[in-house]
Amino acid sequence: MISVKQLSVQIGNFSLSKIGFEIPTGEYAVLMGKTGSGKTTLMESVCGLKAIQSGRILLMGIDVTNKKPAERGIGYVPQDGALFTTMNVREHLAFALKLRKWPAGQIEKRIRELAELLGIAYLLERFPHGLSGGERQRVALGRALSYRPGILCMDEPLSALDEDSRGEMCDLLKTVQAHTGVTVLHVTHSKTEAIQLADRVLLLSNNEMIARNPAEIAGDS
Amino acid sequence: MNVSTSDDLPQSGQPPKEFRIGSDVPFYLCFGILGSVYIFLIVAMLIAEATYTTPGHLLNVLSSPAIRYSIRLSLISCGVTTILSLWVAVPIGYLMSRFDFRGKYLIDAILDIPIVLPPLVIGLCLLILFQVNLYDGMTLEDLINRGTLHLLGREFGVTYEIPAVILSQFMVASAFAVRTMRITFDQINPRYEQVALTLGCRRSQAFWQVVFPQSRRGLVAAGTLAWARSLGEFGPILIFAGATRFKTEVLPTTVFLELTVGNVEGAVAASLIMVIAAVIVLIIARYSGLSRSAL
């Protein structure tokens, strides 16, 4: 479960004030809002990447407000994937596991498992340079899920993809969520993505968070 | 003076009047000529230097023990300076690139001082720094003498010794290395570290495992630049380390000493070695792929 209470953030002239929302465990929430409404800032605050002024962030019932990003147990997929240019795909999938000192056999097993789930087994020895947009996002997703976090945060993960790849990734995200049971916070501009993926839609507008049903969004469009 | 009247202006519904502009040739010609003058001077200068001496004479100069000592000291001191420069350039470049803090503008300005300060002044400042009275008639030079005597059982001085050569080179070379490393880290998206932090890294792990390997090319460029600057450093060395044969003589000092005794060919041969080194460094820096702004 992701629970954000009375969260206030100030970055330069931009601020979010007393924002609150909840995403029950295992749900797929899509966070929408206009450009500059603060979606990314909100997600980064949940991940611990932006300092907050006040409020509380609870993940799986634990108050993580003052915890470091590493201690929050969140898998994070940024917009462009941000794959590490000096590592191959195998090293990406093993990165978080090595930090947690998993035994080599377990790491190898987990890499095979993720590669199969995400359809990237043929990419394991490849480096990010030369991967397609869809392949990069699959690898970024695998890296984020590798250590089995309870929460997955994705910042416009499909925005750089073409129409076909986007459709494939939507299907993949659904499969992954059903397979792992991870709680998802997915930032996007796209109503299509929200309708296809969301269990609940969060609309951030004028410093207000409104929870909506995906069916209502479909009705709007 | 001709002023357009409303009759001259295009009216809606009418075909547009022919609009003619002048040729672009004068623009390209002007810029081309002005640019060519400088490029011609650089090439002419290098050709003149290269053709002034013969390979035989160059080998003859290279066989001189004083010149060989000077080349050896240049190579060693530049190597040491490069390593030291990178040791300070990496942390300063990273901190200045990633973090905003109070006094950052001041520190930024301080870091540029060695670049804008006349080289002789840097040498003079270093000389004064080591000779100024700290307390009870004790100077920094005295402190280092005592320290090395206590720790190593022998006094090692700085002023007019080899450490002064390295420190003189270090003061200038580091400024360029810092600037290069800062640009390098600016070019690496902070998002990489953020992802690494969420994956379980401490700040240090995110830096050493994710950012530092990506800065490899910038590191090579910073190192080669620092090396090249050190090799050509003369002013601070002359003031702070002196120009003593078989002691603090480096290649620029050789050029100076040979010229003062009227041996132009010797000076040219020594400078040709530096030209060759500079060309190699330039190729490495360009090959390392760092943006031109760093150079």
Side-chain angles (χ1 to χ4, degrees), chain A residues 44 70 74 76 82-85 87 95-96 99-100 143 147, chain B residues 189 191-192 194-195 197-201 205 209-210 213-214:
Chain A
E44 287 177 351
I74 295 177
Y76 173 51
L83 298 184
F84 307 142
T85 55
M87 295 182 199
F95 187 79
L99 287 170
R100 286 165 177 75
R143 179 182 61 184
Y147 68 99
Chain B
N189 193 337
R191 196 64 80 191
Y192 295 113
Q194 292 181 339
V195 170
L197 292 177
T198 62
L199 288 170
C201 281
Q205 288 173 313
Q209 294 188 31
V210 175
Q214 291 191 38

Side-chain angles (χ1 to χ4, degrees), chain A residues 65-97:
Chain A
T65 314
N66 298 314
K67 283 189 186 283
K68 291 179 177 177
E71 298 164 343
R72 298 191 179 204
I74 295 177
Y76 173 51
V77 180
Q79 192 172 359
D80 54 357
L83 298 184
F84 307 142
T85 55
T86 55
M87 295 182 199
N88 65 20
V89 173
R90 181 185 294 278
E91 288 166 326
H92 276 88
L93 300 182
F95 187 79
L97 310 180

Side-chain angles (χ1 to χ4, degrees), chain B residues 128-142:
Chain B
I128 294 168
L129 173 68
F130 278 76
Q131 302 308 325
V132 78
N133 186 9
L134 294 178
Y135 70 93
D136 202 19
M138 182 81 80
T139 65
L140 186 57
E141 184 77 32
D142 296 333

Side-chain angles (χ1 to χ4, degrees), chain B residues 2-270:
Chain B
N2 290 327
V3 178
S4 293
T5 64
S6 59
D7 294 341
D8 299 331
L9 298 174
Q11 302 295 314
S12 63
Q14 287 181 354
K17 286 182 181 172
E18 194 180 8
F19 175 63
R20 292 179 70 97
I21 58 166
S23 167
D24 287 332
V25 172
F27 170 78
Y28 289 123
L29 212 60
C30 250
F31 274 42
I33 289 170
L34 287 172
S36 309
V37 171
Y38 183 54
I39 292 164
F40 171 76
L41 269 175
I42 296 172
V43 175
M45 196 177 73
L46 290 175
I47 291 172
E49 166 101 357
T51 52
Y52 191 85
T53 184
T54 60
H57 188 80
L58 188 65
L59 286 174
N60 193 32
V61 170
L62 285 175
S63 65
S64 149
I67 307 264
R68 283 164 78 161
Y69 177 89
S70 148
I71 293 172
R72 205 165 49 241
L73 180 59
S74 277
L75 293 178
I76 293 170
S77 63
C78 290
V80 173
T81 301
T82 302
I83 293 165
L84 294 176
S85 299
L86 291 178
W87 270 100
V88 298
V90 169
I92 295 176
Y94 182 68
L95 294 174
M96 293 297 284
S97 166
R98 287 294 187 269
F99 301 101
D100 287 321
F101 49 88
R102 193 174 290 182
K104 186 175 175 178
Y105 285 113
L106 180 67
I107 290 178
D108 205 17
I110 290 172
L111 288 169
D112 277 343
I113 287 177
I115 294 172
V116 295
L117 217 57
L120 284 173
V121 177
I122 293 178
L124 190 64
C125 291
L126 282 170
L127 192 64
I128 294 168
L129 173 68
F130 278 76
Q131 302 308 325
V132 78
N133 186 9
L134 294 178
Y135 70 93
D136 202 19
M138 182 81 80
T139 65
L140 186 57
E141 184 77 32
D142 296 333
L143 273 178
I144 291 169
N145 281 336
R146 285 194 185 185
T148 49
L149 182 66
H150 181 70
L151 290 170
L152 308 168
R154 213 189 114 186
E155 278 191 1
F156 282 95
V158 175
T159 312
Y160 301 126
E161 301 283 348
I162 289 174
V165 174
I166 293 170
L167 193 54
S168 302
Q169 293 172 339
F170 171 80
M171 290 309 293
V172 180
S174 294
F176 286 90
V178 165
R179 192 185 263 193
T180 309
M181 286 317 296
R182 184 175 174 177
I183 293 169
T184 302
F185 291 126
D186 281 345
Q187 289 174 349
I188 299 173
N189 193 337
R191 196 64 80 191
Y192 295 113
E193 287 133 277
Q194 292 181 339
V195 170
L197 292 177
T198 62
L199 288 170
C201 281
R202 290 190 302 274
R203 269 268 166 208
S204 58
Q205 288 173 313
F207 177 78
W208 290 113
Q209 294 188 31
V210 175
V211 183
F212 190 69
Q214 291 191 38
S215 70
R216 197 179 57 239
R217 285 185 159 192
L219 208 64
V220 172
T224 47
L225 262 182
W227 195 86
R229 291 298 312 186
S230 313
L231 189 70
E233 213 51 68
F234 174 60
I237 294 175
L238 184 69
I239 304 286
F240 187 43
T244 315
R245 287 234 129 134
F246 296 108
K247 194 175 180 189
T248 56
E249 183 186 353
V250 282
L251 277 170
T253 324
T254 303
V255 175
F256 172 72
L257 291 176
E258 293 299 333
L259 275 177
T260 52
V261 296
N263 182 9
V264 179
E265 289 196 330
V268 168

